[in-house]
Amino acid sequence: MKTPGLSSTSVVLSLLAVCFTYFVTKLYTARASIWEKKKRGLPIAPGHSFLFGHLLYFKGALSKIPPSAHYQNALADIAREHFQHEGCYYIDMWPVSGILFIVVSPHVANQIHANPKMSMQRPPLLPRFFRPIAGGPNMFDMREHEWKPWRAVFSKAFSAEHILSLVPDMVDETMTYCETLESLAEQKKMFQLDLITLRFTIDVIGKTILNAHLGAQRGYNALADCMLSQIRWHQANAEANPFEYLNLVRKSIHWWNGHQMDKYISSELSKRYNEYKGDPRGMRSKAIIDLVLQNYMSEGVDLRSEGPREDLDQTFRAFAICQIRLFVFVGHDSTSSTICYILHLLYTNPEALLAIRQEHNTMLGTELAELPDLLKSQPHLLNDLPYTTAVIKEALRLFPPGGCSRAGQPTIPLVSDSGKTCPTENVAAIFTVHTELQRSPVYWPKPDAFLPERWLVKPGHDLYPIKGAYRAFEIGPRNCVAQGFVMTELKVVLACLVRQFDFSPAYGEFDALHKRNPVETSRTTYRGERAYQIEEGAAHPSDHYPCRVHLRSRG
């Protein structure tokens, strides 16, 4: 006699019915939210449909830009075409992510960071985005209560005084970078600047974060090469797109790279901790991770016995590994991109190039052979380069390496430039698109021109930036903790490069050597720029900036 019960077919059908009901409910909720906002006259991207939301419309926007261009460019084009005088809009990307609230106005962005609750909260999608890179909770995606105490620790590690003490290490790695460029100049060959610069910047991070010489500019290093591989295999929407969970190859490579990076960093942590035990006062310590270890132990975190523990606390070890992976990523990836764009802008704007060379001659002397020792012994000279600082800021304005995301709040609306009150409840993320905000003709005079002078004029001048329009390192309590470090590194690089080398873009030569399909051939520039930004972790120059380099005459 058979026991009465549901057949396997009935169970499957019931599960399918539940899944279908859940899907339809979520679909209707997302679409109804847009309908309600549209009835109220709020800024909604055009082309919305019940079945696809804005997915097909956004696909159309992507089809108008180069195939490899950063998706933020499509969001920027939608804003410029339809919402210049609103400064924000909603776009329904469910089920890929959800409803996004796009911000391209400094006035709207200022509201986000003026509100303590909104400025602190990252969106739920962000941890999934950063997991392959950092490996777990990190300074970038932590919630406020977790983030605050660690921000205090890392702020001390990035103090202005300590950053200047790191300059000698920066100079040493920059000299290796210069040797690579000299070799390429002698070979008279085209190369991709971003690819060699990535290995240089990861060496700088290795030296300044771990006090370890990675040697990535000379050959293989497990931490450096696994991080570079991790970024190549990372996809901007992978963790938000449910279909990407089926990409087992990507997941396997991410797991392997993560395992190798964790193993490498854990070994370095053990070495540094043993040095700490032999030198509790940290008199010989220079690396950022040393300062973090010292601060951690001096604060009494998990110290329940007299003197240092025999081994590093495992909870802290796991946490520190995630932070180091994060700093390796953000410290090398976006910096490499910025170096490429600064050089691109300088060598396509001869007047600015002449001005920065004149400043370096005046402030740093004309003897290039003596420059490394000068910077090592007097690093404070880097603080006396106002035009160089202006060049860096202008390059970051025109080619910001990323945007900013915050979580919506049930009781906190944002007001558009035209005065419309836009609720942020139930949005997947509030996304500030720096590429448009920092180039918008509404907020910037001569927005596409490379004008370092706009950072040297006084308030009241036509070029003087309006409040909140420049957000390269973001604004507010969760701004970039390492911005002083990045600015110092960029000044060291420019001081060592711009009087020694001449760079020239080689996109024409590169395109001639690499066959393109008809679609790629028809769309090779974005807003007239061949070195448009692509998404590979941070935003990088297309095709990694093919160029040629020449040694300048020193006579």
Side-chain angles (χ1 to χ4, degrees):
M1 181 177 179
K2 293 183 179 180
T3 303
L6 293 174
S7 67
S8 59
T9 302
S10 298
V11 171
V12 170
L13 290 175
S14 297
L15 289 174
L16 288 175
V18 170
C19 292
F20 179 76
T21 301
Y22 175 79
F23 176 84
V24 171
T25 301
K26 296 290 287 185
L27 172 70
Y28 181 81
T29 300
R31 306 305 185 243
S33 177
I34 290 293
W35 298 337
E36 186 270 335
K37 291 175 174 60
K38 193 171 183 179
K39 285 181 183 178
R40 293 169 53 188
L42 300 180
I44 305 292
H48 189 258
S49 75
F50 175 75
L51 285 179
F52 298 103
H54 284 115
L55 293 176
L56 294 182
Y57 173 74
F58 189 63
K59 183 176 182 295
L62 289 171
S63 71
K64 297 176 183 178
I65 64 178
S68 61
H70 202 300
Y71 66 90
Q72 291 186 42
N73 293 330
L75 295 173
D77 285 349
I78 294 169
R80 185 166 293 196
E81 183 176 354
H82 300 285
F83 303 107
Q84 273 203 25
H85 300 291
E86 295 285 2
C88 56
Y89 66 93
Y90 297 93
I91 186 167
D92 181 5
M93 304 296 284
W94 195 91
V96 172
S97 58
I99 297 173
L100 304 178
F101 187 69
I102 307 301
V103 175
V104 295
S105 159
H107 308 304
V108 180
N110 288 341
Q111 295 171 50
I112 297 171
H113 297 96
N115 187 292
K117 189 173 182 180
M118 183 171 280
S119 66
M120 287 289 189
Q121 297 302 328
R122 300 286 194 176
L125 290 175
L126 204 60
R128 297 201 298 271
F129 176 87
F130 269 100
R131 178 165 290 278
I133 293 169
N138 59 79
M139 284 287 293
F140 209 86
D141 59 34
M142 283 180 177
R143 295 195 175 277
E144 180 182 359
H145 70 280
E146 300 168 315
W147 167 85
K148 273 189 174 181
W150 288 107
R151 172 68 184 226
V153 170
F154 282 98
S155 293
K156 295 174 183 177
F158 287 104
S159 68
E161 180 182 2
H162 184 64
I163 288 171
L164 287 182
S165 76
L166 298 172
V167 168
D169 291 332
M170 294 181 187
V171 172
D172 287 340
E173 296 297 347
T174 304
M175 290 300 99
T176 302
Y177 184 47
C178 288
E179 290 173 11
T180 302
L181 292 172
E182 287 179 16
S183 176
L184 290 164
E186 291 170 359
Q187 296 174 50
K188 299 181 179 179
K189 62 186 294 185
M190 179 182 65
F191 65 99
Q192 290 163 288
L193 180 63
D194 192 30
L195 296 183
I196 68 162
T197 307
L198 281 166
R199 303 193 76 87
F200 155 63
T201 53
I202 211 166
D203 270 351
V204 173
I205 283 298
K207 194 69 173 176
T208 53
I209 299 294
L210 294 173
N211 199 16
H213 180 64
L214 302 184
Q217 297 187 81
R218 299 300 194 196
Y220 177 83
N221 173 270
L223 176 60
D225 284 86
C226 286
M227 177 59 77
L228 293 171
S229 171
Q230 200 81 329
I231 294 167
R232 283 195 301 270
W233 279 89
H234 189 263
Q235 298 178 19
N237 72 332
E239 304 307 323
N241 186 346
F243 295 106
E244 277 301 324
Y245 286 101
L246 302 177
N247 190 336
L248 298 181
V249 174
R250 182 178 67 87
K251 281 188 162 301
S252 297
I253 291 174
H254 277 175
W255 176 86
W256 173 254
N257 288 334
H259 175 72
Q260 294 298 107
M261 288 189 286
D262 290 352
K263 181 180 177 181
Y264 187 99
I265 295 169
S266 183
S267 175
E268 292 296 326
L269 277 169
S270 294
K271 292 178 186 177
R272 305 310 296 161
Y273 183 65
N274 287 334
E275 291 184 16
Y276 167 81
K277 289 192 297 182
D279 177 21
R281 297 183 180 180
M283 297 301 292
R284 297 189 299 273
S285 300
K286 296 192 301 180
I288 288 171
I289 190 57
D290 293 328
L291 296 182
V292 173
L293 279 168
Q294 294 161 23
N295 190 85
Y296 173 82
M297 303 306 285
S298 67
E299 292 291 333
V301 181
D302 285 339
L303 269 180
R304 299 181 177 88
S305 59
E306 294 183 4
R309 300 165 58 117
E310 182 64 25
D311 194 13
L312 188 63
D313 175 71
Q314 292 304 306
T315 301
F316 174 73
R317 181 188 294 274
F319 180 86
I321 287 172
C322 291
Q323 308 324 303
I324 292 169
R325 282 175 59 169
L326 174 73
F327 282 120
V328 169
F329 165 65
V330 298
H332 92 278
D333 194 54
S334 57
T335 307
S336 174
S337 172
T338 301
I339 290 170
C340 293
Y341 276 120
I342 292 172
L343 295 175
H344 171 63
L345 290 165
L346 283 174
Y347 287 91
T348 53
N349 291 272
E351 292 183 2
L353 180 59
L354 177 62
I356 195 172
R357 283 173 171 166
Q358 289 176 338
E359 179 176 77
H360 291 178
N361 285 339
T362 300
M363 301 306 301
L364 304 175
T366 58
E367 296 297 325
L368 296 186
E370 298 175 3
L371 180 62
D373 289 337
L374 177 67
L375 293 178
K376 290 179 181 182
S377 61
Q378 301 182 58
H380 63 274
L381 291 174
L382 295 166
N383 295 328
D384 298 323
L385 301 173
Y387 191 79
T388 303
T389 300
V391 164
I392 295 170
K393 294 180 72 173
E394 184 69 346
L396 284 167
R397 180 187 74 82
L398 290 169
F399 295 102
C404 173
S405 58
R406 292 292 185 270
Q409 300 294 328
T411 59
I412 306 175
L414 296 171
V415 181
S416 74
D417 285 0
S418 69
K420 296 175 182 176
T421 300
C422 303
T424 64
E425 184 177 8
N426 296 326
V427 299
I430 302 168
F431 187 36
T432 304
V433 181
H434 292 176
T435 51
E436 178 62 15
L437 188 152
Q438 295 186 170
R439 280 189 184 236
S440 173
V442 177
Y443 316 110
W444 295 89
K446 302 178 181 178
D448 295 322
F450 178 63
L451 296 173
E453 293 75 18
R454 73 174 82 238
W455 304 103
L456 302 173
V457 298
K458 295 181 179 180
H461 193 283
D462 289 344
L463 288 177
Y464 191 81
I466 66 174
K467 181 182 178 181
Y470 175 75
R471 317 182 78 88
F473 296 104
E474 257 312 324
I475 296 172
R478 296 198 74 155
N479 64 353
C480 176
V481 68
Q483 59 183 285
F485 173 85
V486 173
M487 291 295 291
T488 299
E489 181 182 354
L490 292 172
K491 290 176 189 177
V492 169
V493 171
L494 292 177
C496 295
L497 261 63
V498 296
R499 292 179 293 169
Q500 185 174 354
F501 300 101
D502 281 321
F503 293 85
S504 57
Y507 277 107
E509 184 179 355
F510 183 88
D511 290 340
L513 289 172
H514 296 79
K515 292 183 179 180
R516 307 276 176 163
N517 64 47
V519 173
E520 291 176 317
T521 303
S522 65
R523 303 199 309 272
T524 58
T525 64
Y526 176 70
R527 295 183 182 176
E529 177 61 76
R530 179 61 181 86
Y532 57 82
Q533 292 180 301
I534 62 174
E535 199 279 330
E536 283 193 12
H540 287 260
S542 62
D543 297 305
H544 296 287
Y545 201 73
C547 68
R548 288 182 175 274
V549 63
H550 308 277
L551 284 167
R552 295 187 71 224
S553 172
R554 301 183 188 181

